[in-house]
Amino acid sequence: MKQLTIIKIGGNIIDHSEKLHQFLLDFHALPGDKILVHGGGKIASELGKSLGIEPKMVDGRRITDIETLRVVTMVYAGLINKNMVAQLQAKSCNAIGLSGADGNVISAVKRPVSTVDYGFVGDLNENSVNTKTLQSLLESGLVPVLCAITHDGQTQLLNTNADTIASAVAVAMSGIYDTRLVYCFEKKGVLRDVDDDDSVVRQISSTSFEALKADGVVSGGMIPKLFNAFEAIRQGVRAVYIGQADDLPLIDTNGFGTELTA
């Protein structure tokens, strides 16, 4: 199988032009086929506020009413996505920017209303990712850049968590490629001491994950992130990495962040 690297970047990179420029250089330099997945950072919230639309959050999750959906679609699928594609083209990386609706790459279902109505938020299932289209793009020498906007196949656009998209794409493509998933965020990896960047846990297996939870090394919001990562591995992804964007050139030298394996 050919190797495929799927990288998800967060707002801490998107919001800083110099960091984004360097990250895209490092991303382009990665060998083999690759896919980039991104969210939106602060730009959508700032634009919304300028239009009189205040962000609505519940437990850290954005409520996507119709006005917010219009804003995030403009920002994620438009401004941010096309800016990244233009920068990659300038670096001789033949990228193509896509929402889930483009080429029917990612379909979703609107999240059902339970105790909270999240509005126009899309949830994914095992059939959401159009692997044939992504494979065709990759085989044509294109680098897909996926934003966090999906669709339901019935004209409705939906806002979908970028971490979830990255994981779903990695799982779906693992039947065709030797797939690894990389989450780039602000920390150097999973840390034994959150105040010490030199305390990175270099490798975590599903067994050691339980021990790290019991010892309190992994806690809070990192628990569901790692749980989802191990679910991706269970479903066919070879490995998941969590680390700092600045260290991406070290991905093939065992010097990048934390590697999660079966």
Side-chain angles (χ1 to χ4, degrees):
M1 281 187 174
K2 291 179 67 178
Q3 180 172 279
L4 173 65
T5 303
I6 295 164
I7 297 186
K8 187 268 175 177
I9 58 167
N12 59 308
I13 306 168
I14 294 168
D15 293 334
H16 296 86
S17 58
E18 290 182 6
K19 286 185 178 181
L20 180 59
H21 169 72
Q22 185 58 53
F23 166 80
L24 293 174
L25 281 173
D26 295 336
F27 173 77
H28 173 43
L30 284 176
D33 292 331
K34 45 194 174 275
I35 295 173
L36 180 59
V37 180
H38 68 85
K42 299 176 183 176
I43 301 172
S45 296
E46 290 172 352
L47 178 59
K49 287 179 181 178
S50 72
L51 297 172
I53 304 167
E54 288 294 324
K56 303 179 185 72
M57 309 290 285
V58 174
D59 297 329
R61 294 181 177 180
R62 186 187 296 271
I63 302 294
T64 307
D65 56 22
I66 190 62
E67 291 83 7
T68 301
L69 179 66
R70 290 169 181 156
V71 170
V72 296
T73 300
M74 286 189 289
V75 173
Y76 297 174
L79 179 63
I80 293 174
N81 189 268
K82 300 314 172 193
N83 175 55
M84 285 189 193
V85 169
Q87 288 199 49
L88 285 168
Q89 293 291 355
K91 297 168 176 57
S92 300
C93 177
N94 196 11
I96 181 168
L98 303 165
S99 73
D102 297 302
N104 191 32
V105 168
I106 304 172
S107 60
V109 294
K110 185 175 180 291
R111 182 172 297 168
V113 177
S114 54
T115 54
V116 177
D117 183 357
Y118 285 100
F120 295 96
V121 168
D123 290 331
L124 306 184
N125 57 48
E126 65 274 10
N127 298 313
S128 287
V129 179
N130 187 334
T131 56
K132 288 184 179 179
T133 297
L134 287 174
Q135 183 181 14
S136 176
L137 293 171
L138 291 166
E139 290 178 349
S140 298
L142 292 164
V143 176
V145 180
L146 306 177
C147 72
I149 299 297
T150 58
H151 76 129
D152 69 353
Q154 303 295 320
T155 78
Q156 183 60 61
L157 295 173
L158 297 165
N159 184 16
T160 298
N161 181 273
D163 281 357
T164 303
I165 288 176
S167 179
V169 170
V171 168
M173 298 301 284
S174 66
I176 308 170
Y177 294 86
D178 176 19
T179 304
R180 59 182 178 176
L181 173 60
V182 183
Y183 289 105
C184 289
F185 75 147
E186 67 276 9
K187 296 290 186 180
K188 284 189 170 291
V190 178
L191 305 177
R192 290 190 179 277
D193 179 352
V194 293
D195 297 317
D196 181 6
D197 277 348
D198 293 326
S199 65
V200 176
V201 182
R202 288 297 176 190
Q203 192 171 71
I204 302 176
S205 66
S206 54
T207 303
S208 60
F209 173 47
E210 296 301 323
L212 290 169
K213 278 197 301 182
D215 292 342
V217 173
V218 175
S219 60
M222 187 58 73
I223 291 177
K225 186 181 285 288
L226 295 193
F227 176 82
N228 290 335
F230 281 113
E231 276 296 295
I233 292 169
R234 187 182 64 80
Q235 295 179 68
V237 177
R238 174 169 55 82
V240 179
Y241 298 81
I242 299 175
Q244 198 170 56
D246 295 348
D247 295 332
L248 187 59
L250 304 175
I251 191 72
D252 292 311
T253 65
N254 297 321
F256 176 84
T258 301
E259 179 185 9
L260 310 179
T261 63

